[in-house]
Amino acid sequence: MRVVAEDTGGRPDLAFLADLPEGTEVYCCGPDGLMAAVTAALPEGRAPRLERFAAAAPGGGGAFEVELRRSGRTVRVPADRSVLAAVRDEVPHVPYSCEQGFCGTCRQRVLQGEAGHRDELLTDGERHDSMLICFSRCRGTRLVLDL
């Protein structure tokens, strides 16, 4: 398997979808952004078969604060946003890809606080000091990340 992060590899070129012969079935499994892009790239009136691989929305729970230790910034994460989205408002270079807790591109070291893990990737051993900020949240009111 090869993971290509969107922030470094860009989005895939889907222009070929506009030229598919009539009647060609298009199947897409992935994050919402990819499925929306595939749907938009198809000719009008054609729709792909979609399969989502997210078990839960990235939001949920209460708002909390994330201190970014190395950059010296503190970010407020509202209940309806992911840690990744809030952090990228302040630190745009933070890597990410799937935004669903599967690939590990957004993994960050937790220095203080307790992460509420929602990912499908980290082992129990990795969860004590790491989290996938695209999908996991805070179990309290404050996290400190090594970022």
Side-chain angles (χ1 to χ4, degrees):
M1 178 169 86
R2 182 172 169 236
V3 175
V4 178
E6 179 182 320
D7 63 321
T8 58
R11 292 183 178 217
D13 182 3
L14 302 173
F16 73 95
L17 293 172
D19 298 325
L20 292 177
E22 182 103 18
T24 301
E25 292 279 338
V26 176
Y27 174 84
C28 180
C29 177
D32 289 338
L34 174 63
M35 291 188 291
V38 166
T39 301
L42 287 171
E44 189 173 328
R46 295 185 61 187
R49 293 177 183 232
L50 302 175
E51 180 180 338
R52 301 185 190 294
F53 59 56
F64 56 94
E65 197 171 78
V66 176
E67 177 187 333
L68 309 176
R69 179 64 52 88
R70 283 186 282 139
S71 68
R73 297 178 180 160
T74 298
V75 176
R76 183 100 175 126
V77 181
D80 64 343
R81 291 191 79 201
S82 69
V83 175
L84 174 66
V87 167
R88 283 183 61 88
D89 286 347
E90 293 291 321
V91 186
H93 70 276
V94 174
Y96 70 98
S97 186
C98 77
E99 296 185 79
Q100 303 290 320
F102 289 101
C103 75
T105 303
C106 68
R107 182 177 174 173
Q108 296 295 325
R109 198 165 132 231
V110 177
L111 301 175
Q112 292 176 347
E114 186 179 358
H117 297 282
R118 296 179 177 185
D119 66 88
E120 300 290 330
L121 182 74
L122 298 179
T123 65
D124 289 342
E126 293 169 325
R127 289 175 184 236
H128 80 281
D129 70 347
S130 293
M131 73 182 287
L132 302 186
I133 64 171
C134 72
F135 211 63
S136 296
R137 306 221 14 111
C138 177
R139 284 204 172 153
T141 58
R142 184 174 173 83
L143 280 174
V144 179
L145 300 178
D146 185 23
L147 203 123

